[in-house]
Amino acid sequence: MSDLDEVITALAHHLHAAQHVTVLTGAGISAESGIPTFRDAQTGLWSQFDPEELASPAGFARNPGLVWRWYAERRIKACAAQPNPAHYALVDLAKMVPKLTLITQNIDGLHQRAGSQDVIELHGSLHRARCMADGTVHTTWDYDEELPQCPDCGALLRPDVVWFGEYLPVAALEAAYTATLDCDVFFSIGTSGVVEPAASLPRIALSRGATVLILNLEQTTAARPPLFTIHGKAGEVLPRLVSTVRRLRA
Ligand code: OAD
């Protein structure tokens, strides 16, 4: 048995016994759908674009047209992308455990398109816009407009995403903390874990006695229960893990 097989088998047993599994995902889970991550060298969005210009309230105030063009392009790419085996594995896992809470930092909507329900979106969504005047959220707007306007009052709309220097949506953050404190297994998948407060969730889960898996391309494979790390692709590792849980249940 390889190291990875051993870690997967150990984790599958924890999942099989779990009452509540909480999963935090980041850009890495959508990488195999062709959506760029933020911090991977060469391909990461923040190696090509300036977050101060494109993802901050000051950048939007300076040049809303530029910011809207960037988000419109990302929204079109997200709509053209398909969920990958990692997204689907989480849908399957949710059916195998008594409770699964999915928290994502992603704004691409791919978890929902794969079939995940009640996804907690910590950083908003590319598929929503918000009125600058009164905060009303819209799920459709005139996509051809360079500066889309609120269909109710005509004020400028902004993407309903969290920008640098902004607070996370309170209800989403509270739900994320509650699920992190309550779970017995916690997964962190495809996130570099550098952006707070999401970055602290695995540590909070560990401190509460949960079994924690960190899965991304940068960690080394090791099992030091209760903290497991796997270096691998989410689209390959998660389906294997879910198949192993399925066999345990059979
Ligand atoms: P990052 O780009 O910081 O990290 C992506 C992580 O995914 C890295 O650790 C990669 O190793 C890993 N990765 C890449 N491909 C993978 C694959 N196929 N399978 C598994 N892991 C893979 O993205 P996030 O951690 O999501 O915030 O970034 C967090 C936040 O920073 C984003 O939500 C965004 C950004 O600024 C806002 O825009 C508010």
Side-chain angles (χ1 to χ4, degrees):
M1 225 189 213
S2 70
D3 281 359
L4 180 58
D5 287 333
E6 273 178 34
V7 174
I8 284 181
T9 304
L11 278 167
H13 280 94
H14 283 286
L15 286 170
H16 187 50
Q19 290 303 309
H20 185 182
V21 178
T22 294
V23 180
L24 168 71
T25 64
I29 198 163
S30 293
E32 290 160 78
S33 295
I35 308 241
T37 61
F38 292 92
R39 293 178 184 78
D40 286 291
Q42 319 293 334
T43 56
L45 289 175
W46 294 155
S47 67
Q48 300 163 47
F49 299 102
D50 180 358
E52 261 305 304
E53 289 303 315
L54 297 166
S56 77
F60 187 66
R62 269 194 300 273
N63 196 341
L66 176 77
V67 173
W68 259 120
R69 273 195 299 283
W70 193 63
Y71 280 94
E73 206 176 295
R74 288 179 65 199
R75 186 182 57 76
I76 289 165
K77 282 189 183 153
C79 289
Q82 297 302 323
N84 68 55
H87 297 106
Y88 289 115
L90 292 179
V91 177
D92 291 343
L93 185 59
K95 295 177 189 150
M96 295 179 190
V97 295
K99 182 172 179 190
L100 186 143
T101 303
L102 180 51
I103 307 164
T104 191
Q105 298 167 90
N106 298 345
I107 59 176
D108 55 34
L110 287 180
H111 283 303
Q112 291 89 336
R113 280 177 49 207
S116 285
Q117 307 206 331
D118 302 324
V119 181
I120 299 171
E121 292 178 318
L122 284 182
H123 292 168
S125 171
L126 282 172
H127 307 287
R128 293 192 302 265
R130 204 161 77 219
C131 175
M132 291 291 284
D134 64 11
T136 310
V137 171
H138 296 274
T139 52
T140 55
W141 58 95
D142 185 347
Y143 301 120
D144 295 330
E145 276 291 331
E146 191 162 325
L147 289 176
Q149 293 172 350
C150 176
D152 299 336
C153 71
L156 181 64
L157 289 176
R158 59 161 282 179
D160 189 25
V161 298
V162 175
W163 284 330
F164 286 96
E166 293 187 315
Y167 289 110
L168 272 61
V170 173
L173 189 57
E174 276 177 5
Y177 279 131
T178 302
T180 301
L181 292 170
D182 180 63
C183 67
D184 34 23
V185 176
F186 184 98
F187 282 3
S188 166
I189 301 169
T191 173
S192 54
V194 297
V195 175
E196 293 292 356
S200 294
L201 297 180
R203 280 194 295 281
I204 293 171
L206 255 188
S207 72
R208 295 283 290 202
T211 298
V212 173
L213 165 69
I214 310 284
L215 164 59
N216 69 30
L217 292 181
E218 282 150 18
Q219 302 285 332
T220 46
T221 301
R224 292 183 302 277
L227 174 62
F228 294 86
T229 60
I230 294 180
H231 165 212
K233 288 188 170 177
E236 293 170 6
V237 173
L238 286 179
R240 277 176 66 183
L241 180 56
V242 170
S243 302
T244 311
V245 179
R246 190 176 285 120
R247 279 200 296 280
L248 287 179
R249 285 161 49 90

